Amino acid sequence: MRLFSIVLLCVGAVGQEPAARKPDRVISIVAERFTFSPSKIEVKQGELIEFVLTSDDTDHGFRIPGIGIDVAIPQSGKGEARVRFVAKEKGSYAFECSRPCGAGHNLMRGRIIVK
Ligand SMILES: [Cu+2]
C-alpha cells in the first residue's frame, strides 16, 4: 500500500508529479542538532505538500520511513532541499534525521499528522 506519492526535486531527480504544478502548501522545516522545527506538522488528506528543508548547523537528512523519502539537508549556508508528497491517507507518520549528526541524532525526529 502506497500512502504517499513522492516527487523529489533534487538535481536530476524529477518524478511523475509535474514540477510546474503549484503545491497546495509549502512548509519550511529547519533542522539543527537535535530537533526539527516544527516537529509536528498537520496536513489535510490529499494536499500536495512541498517541504523546504534547511539546516542551522551541520548536514542532516529528512526521511519518512516506509515511503521512500530520504533527502539530504545541506549544512547551514549551503542551500536547501525540497521534497514533495501527497498525503493520500489519514494517519500519523514519523519522520527522522537520516544523516549521523552527533550524540542526539537518534532523538531527532518528528511527526506528520494527516487529517
Ligand atoms: Cu542526524
Side-chain angles (χ1 to χ4, degrees), residues 55-59 74-79:
S55 170
D56 260 357
D57 47 34
T58 189
D59 293 302
Q75 64 179 264
S76 179
K78 295 286 175 73

Side-chain angles (χ1 to χ4, degrees), residues 43-99:
V43 304
K44 289 194 193 118
Q45 187 177 21
E47 281 184 318
L48 171 60
I49 306 294
E50 183 168 300
F51 288 116
V52 181
L53 305 154
T54 55
S55 170
D56 260 357
D57 47 34
T58 189
D59 293 302
H60 293 285
F62 179 80
R63 173 165 60 205
I64 306 177
I67 63 164
I69 285 182
D70 185 357
V71 294
I73 305 173
Q75 64 179 264
S76 179
K78 295 286 175 73
E80 64 189 22
R82 287 177 180 254
V83 62
R84 288 182 167 197
F85 75 98
V86 176
K88 288 192 169 166
E89 305 200 4
K90 293 179 183 176
S92 173
Y93 306 97
F95 62 87
E96 63 190 18
C97 182
S98 56
R99 302 291 183 279

Side-chain angles (χ1 to χ4, degrees), residues 13-26:
V14 176
Q16 72 272 30
E17 202 71 60
R21 185 180 156 197
K22 203 165 170 277
D24 298 309
R25 281 178 70 195
V26 177

